[in-house]
Every structure is written in structure tokens, then in C-alpha cells.
Amino acid sequence: MALPAIPDSDEPKGQLTLELGHTPAHGEADFLVGEGNSLAHGRVMAFPHWPDPITLLIGPAKSGKSHLARIFADRSGARFVAIADLEKLATEGGTDPLIVEDVDRLGYDESGLFHLLNQSMRELRPMLLTAREDIANWPLTTDDVRSRARRATAFTLELTDDIQLSQMFVKLFGDRQIMVDPKTIAYLVARMERSTEEVVILADLMDRLALAKGTAITRSIAADALDRRRAALGQASHEQDWDTQDDE
């Protein structure tokens, strides 16, 4: 069966658009600890012995912020706060732990967040915040929230080396109950664009390609996925990298 090419999109077309059901694993044992996230992980695992009430996790998409937030929720009983509830929670008060995700994104209640941060600091209410950008880059209309957020203990999450990228592939394939040869993962890591988002895109693309061909995920599948991603990003193909000996 011939697979359709990907013209200018990250997503395959035709048969490859089939969505595969899988449930990401977000337990404590499923979090991959490495050089770029160990401090943030240690902070979450140290609860309830925090010296201050507010923790801020900063990192790019797919870097593990939400996974750590779920771990914190499991350990502390914290609730995930909807944007519309910020002001109400600040007014009601209390010390039950809270989680506010994506505090740097547009569309949230800036005044409500300001009052909730104040209430947290005043009553020592544990709060976990997540953001993609550093506080200095948050799209705020005033400096009020920024000044309060800077009092939080902040941790940056990064994937800094080949081992962590490889571990991320292992976890994503494991979520889909797929076994992949470590040599294939090493092949990917050596040739891919080095970002957490690219790991997610490649893992999904290889799963779809393997399903369409009715095969396991092999090095030739990995090479095909890499070339399709290069094409989608307007980069040159590296077909000379293809090695199908592992498919035999």
C-alpha cells in the first residue's frame, strides 16, 4: 500500500489520519527524571515540606509540567483551578492546595490570579503554577501579578541530553503499548530536531506509519518519519540515512 506524502502539514493525510486510542501514563513511577527536570521533580516530591507556599514550573510544551501537576494533585489532594474560579477561591480563602496551569497564556482572569496569589502567601496555601514562558514574558496588563509571581519558587524543565529524549520516546511508545528497539530510538535521537514537541510528533507519526504498513516500528519506519518531518519543515531529505537491514 502506498502512503500519501505529507505536503505542508505536521499531520499525515488519508489513512494516516486514523486516531489510535491510548492513555498517557501520569503516575509518579512514569515520570522520567533527568538532569533537566530533577529539581522540579524533587520540589513536587518534597510536599508537604515546602518552605514557602507557591511553586512555579516553567518549561516548553510537552516538557512534563502537567505530569508533575498530576503527581502533585495525587500527593496533596490539590484541585485543578478553572480560570473562572480564581476570584471566588481567593475570596473564600482556605489552605487546601491548588493547581493553576498555563498562567502565562492569554484569556485568564489577571485580577483573580493576583488576589489568589496574595491569599496563598497570606494564609500559606500551597499552589502549583505552570507556564511556558519566564515571568518577564507573561502578557500582563500591569505588574501586579508579575511582582507576586516572582515570589514563587520557580523551576525550569528542560530535556537537555540524548538520554532524556530517548526516555521520552520510550514513555510515549509505552503509553501506546508499543515495543521499539533501542537502536531505532538511538537512530531517531541522532537525526531529529531536538525538541520535546518533535518527539511527540515523531512518535505519533511512526505509530501511524507502522499501522498503515502493518509492521512494527523499525528503522525504516523511523527514517520514513524523519524524511516526512523534514519535508513538512521544508528541509532537505536524507534518504541516504535509510537502513532497512533491521527490517529483515
Side-chain angles (χ1 to χ4, degrees):
M1 180 191 309
L3 291 174
I6 305 174
D8 299 309
S9 168
D10 292 347
E11 294 293 332
K13 292 186 177 181
Q15 181 174 349
L16 297 184
T17 60
L18 175 66
E19 292 294 335
L20 303 178
H22 63 281
T23 303
H26 286 122
E28 288 186 15
D30 302 304
F31 190 81
L32 302 173
V33 182
E35 181 182 351
N37 60 28
S38 60
L39 292 178
H41 176 262
R43 170 73 170 194
V44 170
M45 299 301 288
F47 185 85
H49 305 293
W50 286 3
D52 41 69
I54 305 176
T55 296
L56 170 62
L57 305 181
I58 303 172
K62 311 302 182 182
S63 61
K65 302 185 302 297
S66 291
H67 192 161
L68 281 178
R70 289 183 178 91
I71 293 173
F72 176 66
D74 290 341
R75 293 179 66 85
S76 67
R79 58 181 287 192
F80 287 83
V81 178
I83 300 306
D85 294 334
L86 296 176
E87 191 74 54
K88 178 182 177 182
L89 287 168
T91 301
E92 292 176 348
T95 58
D96 53 310
L98 302 174
I99 298 168
V100 184
E101 294 201 273
D102 296 325
V103 294
D104 59 333
R105 311 299 291 275
L106 293 173
Y108 62 81
D109 177 4
E110 188 171 328
S111 174
L113 181 58
F114 171 75
H115 291 124
L116 190 56
L117 290 171
N118 277 343
Q119 189 265 326
S120 171
M121 290 183 286
R122 183 173 60 251
E123 300 184 27
L124 300 181
R125 180 181 213 165
M127 284 185 62
L128 181 71
L129 313 176
T130 71
R132 294 188 185 185
E133 298 287 341
D134 186 82
I135 296 171
N137 299 324
W138 292 7
L140 303 172
T141 58
T142 72
D143 285 333
D144 291 340
V145 173
R146 187 175 285 111
S147 67
R148 298 305 186 273
R150 285 194 173 118
R151 299 185 189 182
T153 301
F155 298 88
T156 300
L157 285 82
E158 299 176 339
L159 289 183
T160 57
D161 55 32
D162 288 358
I163 293 176
Q164 287 179 276
L165 289 172
S166 298
Q167 288 177 327
M168 190 172 178
F169 272 119
V170 170
K171 180 185 184 302
L172 289 172
F173 288 132
D175 288 342
R176 298 167 183 256
Q177 300 182 333
I178 298 171
M179 296 293 294
V180 178
D181 190 321
K183 293 180 180 179
T184 299
I185 293 177
Y187 176 88
L188 284 163
V189 171
R191 293 163 174 80
M192 63 177 282
E193 176 184 314
R194 308 181 69 76
S195 73
T196 58
E197 290 181 283
E198 191 67 12
V199 173
V200 175
I201 291 170
L202 281 169
D204 181 68
L205 179 54
M206 285 184 289
D207 191 1
R208 296 172 184 229
L209 287 168
L211 175 67
K213 291 185 176 181
T215 70
I217 293 178
T218 60
R219 189 178 296 186
S220 65
I221 292 287
D224 189 1
L226 287 169
D227 263 354
R228 287 169 181 264
R229 286 298 297 150
R230 292 183 184 114
L233 297 171
Q235 300 170 357
S237 171
H238 288 185
E239 288 187 311
Q240 64 269 25
D241 288 343
W242 286 45
D243 180 355
T244 59
Q245 290 182 351
D246 63 329
D247 297 347
E248 297 177 356

